[in-house]
Amino acid sequence: MNEFHLLDWQRRACEQPIELDVALLGARAGGKSTCLIGGFVLQYIGLFDNSRIAILRKSFPGLADITALTHLLFPLADPGAKWNGQAHAWTFSNGSIVELGILESERDFARWQGRNFHVIAIEEAGQFGDPRLLDLMRSCLRSSDGRPVRFLLSANPGGPGHHWLHRRYVLRATPWEEFIEPISGRASVTITSTMFDNEHIDAVDYQKQLSAACAGDPELLRAWVHGDWNIARGAYFGDVLDESKVMTADWDRLPDRFAKRTDLSDQDYAMAVKLQDGWPQWNFFLALDWGVAAPAVCYFVAESPGAEGPDGRYYPRNSLVLFDEYDTRVSDDDLNNGTGLTVAELAGRLVGIANQWGMSAIGAADDSIFSSLGTAAKSIAEEFSRNGVEFQAANKADRISGLQHMRTLLSQAGMPDKPGLYVAKRCSGFWSTVPFLPRDPRRREDLDSHGPDHWADAARYAITYSQPVLQVVKLPRVR
């Protein structure tokens, strides 16, 4: 086959052992697509006759871009390569076949299931909010003649799949260092690049374009330009979520419901609590985002009257502390799919956790669970009530207003005189998702709903839940 010019980093990438899976996780415009198709795919075809390769994207518009790139690169490498538009496949002179297709749903996977491929390449894997379909595609990697099989993917930071790519690849090893990918158990390597490694583009001009696209979102801009997945705190909350201020130590108990003022003696405090008249108190409640196919997420929430928590930290009045959580995620890598618990099963678990904390199983939930089911149970909320959990509508208003309120509370965390939103370290679902959630590219003030936003929604319901605010009344000293 004829050769065409590869960038220095692309040549180095193609020098990696052929049996290694590869994750190209660099910044935008670094040349990942060219490396994937013009490097790895053509390299494999050059080494092995009669190869079977699949190149997949999540959507048809993205697939059109990849198809155009193959028309540019494949004829240069093999003038005898022929394109079949109906089959959407290339046939090479040595009998190798490269198929291009989409993988957006279970129905799409059914078209590939049972097929045998030596190489599967996923372009823009970050568009997948969870890796379930990609993991299913690995079942199609098979070789009957002993040749190595290979799984390839490319992705930019900051997309719907940021959380699972970060966990599965970025945290495993430094770039260019071999490691074992935990789900497949296969030897893998992560390779990074930036626009500054691509001599074919004007990096200065392209950086200006990215800056315009990320207006008001400096963290996403840094991620796109430098490809640093640890910098990319997620486009939406990146500028307001500071872990050092928002994250709390795990509580080992709930604070006393009635906050003790420092100007009262123990005897006066005991009498004031007994009277309970206008006494500032902690409120404890649940906040649920209901789901069956998607995960159900429930926070256990404490609303501060302006007092210290069990961790010794002072929480200004009306601050919210998410001190525990329960969710029905399939796994840490699959955060968009739920285990399908029934209402009774979920209610039983929530009651059990509430009992462990010594609080009532009451709180706020998505307004939709109060809609009529047209069955013996008037609504999902009524079914929860029959099983010991009392929910009121979160009064979530519109999504955008709730998200903006959430941003405000996150930004005020750590301020001594303003309420903030605080989250315990043990709330792993929150910390695995909310900091990384991207903006909706078509509506910048909203979240991209393709990502695992269930934990953010549950937090939003906690915030918008209508709780009575007790007035702080200075009680007379009891004689």
Side-chain angles (χ1 to χ4, degrees), residues 288 364-371 379 381 392-397 461 464:
L288 173 73
D366 185 346
D367 297 7
S368 66
I369 76 166
F370 298 88
S371 300
S379 66
Q392 297 180 30
N395 297 325
K396 61 182 183 180
Y461 302 153
T464 57

Side-chain angles (χ1 to χ4, degrees), residues 7-211:
L7 300 169
D8 289 342
W9 79 264
Q10 293 169 339
R11 284 196 295 272
R12 182 186 173 196
C14 289
E15 293 171 358
Q16 298 295 309
I18 196 70
E19 65 272 11
L20 290 185
D21 288 351
V22 180
L24 298 174
L25 302 182
R28 286 179 174 260
K32 295 186 297 297
S33 296
T34 304
C35 185
L36 196 74
I37 296 169
F40 293 130
V41 169
L42 287 177
Q43 177 193 43
Y44 196 93
I45 293 172
L47 292 173
F48 304 102
D49 295 343
N50 302 309
S51 298
R52 295 295 180 268
I53 297 174
I55 302 174
L56 306 177
R57 283 287 299 256
K58 187 174 182 181
S59 66
F60 275 115
L63 188 63
D65 294 337
I66 296 303
T67 301
L69 185 59
T70 63
H71 277 79
L72 174 66
L73 298 178
F74 287 175
L76 287 176
D78 181 3
K82 298 185 182 302
W83 169 250
N84 184 328
Q86 186 173 0
H88 228 64
W90 285 92
T91 302
F92 287 77
S93 300
N94 67 356
S96 297
I97 297 176
V98 177
E99 298 183 47
L100 286 78
I102 63 169
L103 185 66
E104 189 172 12
S105 65
E106 296 275 1
R107 180 177 300 179
D108 295 321
F109 171 69
R111 297 168 54 192
W112 302 99
Q113 190 173 14
R115 305 279 304 282
N116 294 340
F117 294 99
H118 299 107
V119 177
I120 295 176
I122 309 295
E123 255 282 301
E124 295 294 349
Q127 293 180 355
F128 292 83
D130 65 72
R132 180 174 49 89
L133 290 175
L134 307 192
D135 290 339
L136 287 173
M137 279 302 301
R138 284 183 177 273
S139 66
C140 299
L141 275 178
R142 285 189 287 267
S143 173
S144 59
D145 57 6
R147 74 177 68 180
V149 295
R150 202 171 207 190
F151 193 83
L152 309 168
L153 62 82
S154 69
N156 296 312
H162 182 112
H163 64 285
W164 68 265
L165 287 163
H166 184 267
R167 177 188 295 271
R168 191 178 283 194
Y169 294 100
V170 177
L171 294 179
R172 296 292 165 179
T174 57
W176 303 93
E177 177 184 322
E178 184 177 333
F179 66 97
I180 300 299
E181 193 275 315
I183 302 302
S184 66
R186 287 178 53 81
S188 306
V189 64
T190 298
I191 295 175
T192 60
S193 62
T194 72
M195 68 178 74
F196 306 106
D197 298 313
N198 189 348
E199 64 191 46
H200 301 306
I201 68 165
D202 184 337
V204 174
D205 180 68
Y206 188 65
Q207 188 169 354
K208 291 179 181 178
Q209 296 180 45
L210 291 183
S211 180

